[in-house]
Amino acid sequence: GNTYADGTLTVMGAAGMNNTLNVKLDATLQSDMIMTADSAALTHSGATGLTIKSTNAYVDVESVRFTDNTIGIAADPDLLTLTNAALAVAGTLTVSDDVELSEDAAVITHTAPTTATNAGLAISSANFHVDVEDVRFTNKQIGTTSDADLITLADDAVAVAGTLTVSDDVKLSEANAVIEHTSTDAAASLTIKSSSGYVDVESVR
């Protein structure tokens, strides 16, 4: 039949139960709790919440380690730090799909300390291009999605593979500046003209 213990129940050996163990207050375990069911569950049926915590250390769930407000692994326990409205990632973040920013005025900011000697922010594609609005960046080339190599950058040089339209003066600061036409076509030529006015070369019009 039923057995009741109004005080402390001390069992020196193993105890087996074929039915539910109902504990009305706290249950203190001095060793591990082992579940042998094929699909075991730890279920909370109260109206508020369930807290799993370690008073002085961490909680491991599979290979994930929880320590206060940080989440990580045993070898790197603070990979993620949670605070109000913020998630800090202390490591590499690998994303297999798009990154979408819902903020009205979204910003990507690089916050390296001012004491850093070789800091910077790089946005790159391992094998292809990077599009910023309608501008395409591919290695050292800048262009559009339909003409990706309009501008090619090199040390101390910019090459333009197309028409360069300038709405103001073109100023050459080189001590001995040259405007050079480099085509090797047999019928090539260089023309300097004004579509609606004159051309002045020194004092010659």
Side-chain angles (χ1 to χ4, degrees), residues 83-138:
T83 56
N84 291 334
L87 169 64
V89 179
T92 300
L93 176 63
T94 301
V95 181
S96 61
D97 208 327
D98 296 341
V99 176
E100 298 184 1
L101 308 178
S102 60
E103 185 75 16
D104 289 343
V107 177
I108 299 175
T109 303
H110 178 233
T111 58
T114 56
T115 55
T117 57
N118 192 27
L121 172 65
I123 302 175
S124 63
S125 172
N127 300 310
F128 295 97
H129 55 263
V130 174
D131 286 343
V132 179
E133 292 286 349
D134 294 327
V135 179
R136 174 159 293 180
F137 296 81
T138 311

Side-chain angles (χ1 to χ4, degrees), residues 47-68:
T48 52
L50 171 66
T51 300
I52 302 176
K53 68 177 182 178
S54 172
T55 301
N56 300 311
Y58 52 81
V59 174
D60 282 345
V61 179
E62 291 283 349
S63 299
V64 179
R65 177 159 293 181
F66 296 81
T67 310
D68 294 326

Side-chain angles (χ1 to χ4, degrees), residues 2 15-22:
N2 297 330
M17 295 186 181
N18 294 325
N19 208 323
T20 301
L21 174 64
N22 189 337

